[in-house]
Amino acid sequence: MPTSRKAIIQHLQEDYFDLIIIGGGATGAGIALDASSRGLKVALVEKGDFASGTSSKSTKLIHGGLRYLKQLDIALVRETGTERATVNRIAPHLCLPEKMLLPLTEDGTYGKYSTSLGLFVYDILAGVDGDDRRKMLSKEETLAIEPLLDANAVVGGGYYAEYRTDDARLTIELIKKAMTFDAVAMNYCEVHGFHYTDDEIDGVRCTDHLSGEPILIKGRRVVSAAGPWVDQIRKKNDSVKGKRLHLTKGVHLVFPREKFPVKQSLYFDEPSGRMLFAIPRGKVTYLGTTDTNYSGDLDRIICLKEDRDYLLNAVNRIFPSINLTPDDVISNWAGLRPLIHEDGKSPSELSRKDEIFVAPDGLISIAGGKLTGYRKMGERIVDLVIKKDHDEISQKLKSVYTKELPLGSENFMTNEEVQDYITDLSHRISDLGLDPYYGWYLVTTYGKQSEKILAQLNTNSTPTDLAIAEVRYGLESEMIARAEDYFVRRTGRLYFDIESIDVIRSSVMSVLSESLEWTPEQEALENKRLDELIFDATHYYDVEFSA
Ligand code: FAD
């Protein structure tokens, strides 16, 4: 497996691949792992960092999709429910059980009986058993679990199982795993055109954004898993015919835990009937999401004042005692859902099912879908490729076994083992002089790979020493190529620990600059980009950036 960027570029240029994947989000990463583990020779290119598109901007739940039950999308509920259990098994440190409380109110969208029946059907479709099965709670039980709710409005609650993840970390681990099966993956490498032989696509023309060099990659099949950019890629071969994308924007706001001290995750409705999540995570609680049509800049998605105010109004209505104001919001993120257009449907009514398009020149595109369904989407695409190329590649193919492939080096066997490891690491980290919070943070970010970070620390370590150890690990093992890769996708610090950035920034930049051999101009550019990301995560605009 090549690890240096130079060696990766050489491989991409010299090898002939069975499958070239455009896009390093969860979908592309899932395809890469399925294909490479079945024996195909895979190349994956991503124009930004891995997971820099929608796959770092989701609600970060691996979920069975309760809301799809309302749309009667039974097959989707069943598939996401089953997949949820699989992801929990192969990556329990990245798919943590999270009980969800659905409070019922006098004037709410959900009644007691319909909720009870809905959650019952959901449990059956999603294959939920044991303690995870839904419980219906009385008013008193609901308020005991979440005292912040309005005692005058709540009449009871539904209590059911969901799973929390880190979308970007999940994507990175999928790519790392695919690389163990010799997939060649490169970030900051944008596809801008295709290569043809006899009117059939057999390659992609790219630019390495870090060196500015052109790269031609040749292969048998090309799949575009470019998320919100799928139609831009389809425009390159003039294949946007029939079904097309419909982008909707979703915003999340982040609050310090003490300002929004919910004891546990909630799924609640706002007056129009839309459902929102409030999810405590480490030092913060995050709230989301909006769902509005989008036609602005795909590369700079921001939070508008109206997005923020909509979420604040909704949350202050359901928790009237907390009075959250714009000043309480410490960070935000905004992402695009790459949904499939259906005439006359509103954003929330559009199906979340994935769709595959095959163009006459052979370009395969996949869009729609959920993070939760990444494994099945990968399987469907690879099945299609195999069907097309069976004669040429059948001799080297294995059957799908991504269900059995643990993510994140050594795997945990159970959720309890993850909890025990968090407790153990919290003690060890506090023995090194650090806040025990970092025990939880390391395990839920890196799993057992945390040992490689811990091994670099001595007693009397500071948060900066920890950050430097993480950066060194990320440079060596996770293809960090730019400063934002560390601050946003590898660690989630921009969203979940934004205050830490001021403290560690200059030391982290020094290590990156030395290791990546930045010129003073490059370092200035990296700092400017980071300033822009911090600005967008902490500011609220009047209008979108235009496309
Ligand atoms: P992306 O992650 O966008 O990846 C596509 C990649 O292609 C991008 O990184 C982009 O840079 C790259 N690319 C584009 N053009 C090129 C090019 N020319 N050359 C090279 N690379 C290119 N799902 C869940 O399961 N659970 C949730 O809780 C959840 N919540 C969500 C909340 C919100 C607000 C949103 C927006 C989505 C949510 N989803 C959720 C859906 C889920 O996040 C997406 O379905 C999933 O992340 C899409 O992944 P993707 O790989 O298809 O797209």
Side-chain angles (χ1 to χ4, degrees):
M1 177 181 65
T3 48
S4 80
R5 205 168 166 91
K6 219 168 132 192
I8 291 173
I9 293 174
Q10 196 178 348
H11 261 265
L12 289 175
Q13 282 175 322
E14 292 176 1
D15 277 1
Y16 183 81
F17 295 91
D18 294 315
L19 186 60
I20 300 168
I21 301 161
I22 307 170
T27 309
I31 299 169
L33 179 55
D34 190 288
S36 59
S37 62
R38 284 208 240 175
L40 300 188
K41 202 162 174 182
V42 173
L44 179 148
V45 283
E46 160 57 54
K47 78 183 173 87
D49 185 24
F50 303 121
S52 58
T54 303
S55 298
S56 52
K57 318 276 178 51
S58 77
T59 307
K60 302 172 196 294
L61 291 172
I62 295 294
H63 59 153
L66 181 59
R67 62 187 291 274
Y68 316 130
L69 193 59
K70 214 173 156 190
Q71 297 169 331
L72 292 177
D73 209 335
I74 304 294
L76 189 60
V77 179
R78 185 176 281 129
E79 181 171 298
T80 46
T82 321
E83 283 307 293
R84 185 175 76 161
T86 302
V87 183
N88 175 242
R89 200 179 60 251
I90 58 178
H93 71 287
L94 280 178
C95 185
L96 299 136
E98 182 77 34
K99 278 276 159 60
M100 195 65 73
L101 175 62
L102 194 161
L104 303 171
T105 54
E106 208 62 87
D107 56 354
T109 326
Y110 288 93
K112 234 178 196 168
Y113 297 107
S114 60
T115 303
S116 176
L117 179 66
L119 289 174
F120 175 72
V121 175
Y122 179 65
D123 278 353
I124 291 182
L125 291 174
V128 178
D129 53 23
D131 272 356
D132 271 359
R133 280 190 178 256
R134 69 98 169 83
K135 291 185 188 69
M136 293 307 294
L137 307 178
S138 66
K139 171 175 179 162
E140 291 69 31
E141 287 168 323
T142 306
L143 290 168
I145 289 178
E146 190 42 76
L148 275 185
L149 286 164
D150 183 0
N152 295 321
V154 166
V155 293
Y159 199 49
Y160 67 103
E162 287 289 21
Y163 290 79
R164 189 160 51 74
T165 190
D166 185 313
D167 43 11
R169 290 292 324 171
L170 180 64
T171 305
I172 303 289
E173 294 299 353
L174 287 167
I175 288 181
K176 282 162 63 183
K177 195 75 190 184
M179 289 171 79
T180 68
F181 292 98
D182 294 331
V184 184
M186 188 156 108
N187 48 4
Y188 298 102
C189 181
E190 179 161 3
V191 171
H192 54 76
F194 298 111
H195 184 273
Y196 289 89
T197 301
D198 298 335
D199 297 336
E200 277 269 316
I201 285 189
D202 65 352
V204 293
R205 296 183 187 282
C206 316
T207 303
D208 168 13
H209 282 310
L210 300 191
S211 67
E213 292 297 314
I215 301 176
L216 171 64
I217 309 171
K218 301 281 299 292
R220 197 184 303 281
R221 294 284 159 197
V222 179
V223 171
S224 162
W229 293 265
V230 154
D231 279 355
Q232 286 196 351
I233 304 264
R234 291 166 85 209
K235 275 185 196 151
K236 292 185 198 299
N237 69 339
D238 198 21
S239 66
V240 189
K241 308 216 161 73
K243 291 196 175 178
R244 62 189 155 88
L245 287 196
H246 182 134
L247 302 180
T248 77
K249 187 179 84 166
V251 162
H252 290 83
L253 303 180
V254 184
F255 305 86
R257 192 79 173 260
E258 58 279 11
K259 292 276 182 191
F260 189 3
V262 275
K263 281 167 67 179
Q264 68 133 73
S265 291
L266 287 106
Y267 186 46
F268 62 95
D269 56 350
E270 51 90 11
S272 78
R274 281 205 63 244
M275 299 299 292
L276 303 176
F277 289 102
I279 302 176
R281 176 188 183 116
K283 299 176 178 177
V284 302
T285 301
Y286 65 93
L287 169 71
T289 172
T290 58
D291 197 359
T292 48
N293 289 326
Y294 188 79
S295 57
D297 185 351
L298 301 191
D299 293 304
R300 191 154 180 200
I301 310 142
I302 45 161
C303 181
L304 299 182
K305 285 182 186 141
E306 65 188 78
D307 300 324
R308 177 197 63 193
D309 295 345
Y310 162 82
L311 291 171
L312 285 174
N313 286 339
V315 78
N316 284 330
R317 182 179 154 272
I318 192 97
F319 303 111
S321 62
I322 54 173
N323 287 319
L324 290 171
T325 70
D327 288 342
D328 296 324
V329 188
I330 49 170
S331 184
N332 74 66
W333 69 87
L336 298 179
R337 300 176 186 84
L339 306 175
I340 312 297
H341 181 77
E342 294 171 72
D343 280 339
K345 288 209 172 167
S346 72
S348 295
E349 289 167 340
L350 290 171
S351 169
R352 266 56 178 169
K353 265 206 294 273
D354 56 279
E355 295 246 4
I356 296 174
F357 316 113
V358 184
D361 61 8
L363 176 71
I364 302 169
S365 304
I366 181 159
K370 304 283 294 171
L371 187 72
T372 310
Y374 79 84
R375 205 187 62 83
K376 277 285 174 195
M377 288 162 78
E379 192 178 319
R380 279 195 276 277
I381 286 287
V382 178
D383 283 347
L384 181 69
V385 168
I386 288 172
K387 211 163 131 192
K388 282 182 179 292
D389 293 334
H390 190 263
D391 293 345
E392 294 89 341
I393 57 181
S394 61
Q395 70 284 4
K396 58 180 173 187
L397 288 178
K398 298 191 190 93
S399 45
V400 188
Y401 71 115
T402 47
K403 258 187 179 175
E404 316 306 329
L405 288 175
L407 301 178
S409 71
E410 275 177 87
N411 197 18
F412 299 93
M413 299 311 287
T414 60
N415 296 322
E416 290 69 36
E417 210 189 303
V418 177
Q419 290 309 322
D420 290 348
Y421 188 56
I422 291 176
T423 309
D424 173 50
L425 222 68
S426 303
H427 286 135
R428 285 161 62 199
I429 216 98
S430 103
D431 289 347
L432 296 175
L434 287 161
D435 187 332
Y437 157 80
Y438 289 113
W440 171 86
Y441 161 75
L442 284 175
V443 179
T444 55
T445 308
Y446 304 99
K448 287 188 188 162
Q449 297 158 132
S450 305
E451 296 297 337
K452 294 195 178 148
I453 292 162
L454 228 60
Q456 300 176 55
L457 298 175
N458 300 312
T459 41
N460 299 323
S461 288
T462 63
T464 304
D465 297 328
L466 174 72
I468 290 172
E470 284 184 284
V471 175
R472 294 200 193 287
Y473 170 72
L475 284 163
E476 200 179 294
S477 309
E478 302 196 331
M479 294 179 74
I480 288 183
R482 299 195 61 181
E484 60 176 278
D485 306 351
Y486 168 78
F487 288 105
V488 190
R489 270 82 53 183
R490 302 301 176 283
T491 66
R493 282 181 187 261
L494 181 66
Y495 308 133
F496 302 118
D497 197 6
I498 192 164
E499 286 169 358
S500 73
I501 296 182
D502 263 356
V503 181
I504 61 175
R505 178 171 176 159
S506 68
S507 305
V508 166
M509 286 309 226
S510 299
V511 176
L512 288 170
S513 179
E514 197 187 317
S515 306
L516 298 169
E517 299 175 1
W518 288 339
T519 60
E521 293 74 33
Q522 277 173 309
E523 187 162 344
L525 210 71
E526 289 297 322
N527 270 306
K528 193 168 161 243
R529 170 70 180 150
L530 188 56
D531 285 342
E532 183 182 279
L533 287 170
I534 295 172
F535 188 87
D536 282 356
T538 50
H539 286 81
Y540 300 88
Y541 290 82
D542 290 316
V543 287
E544 309 284 4
F545 285 94
S546 47

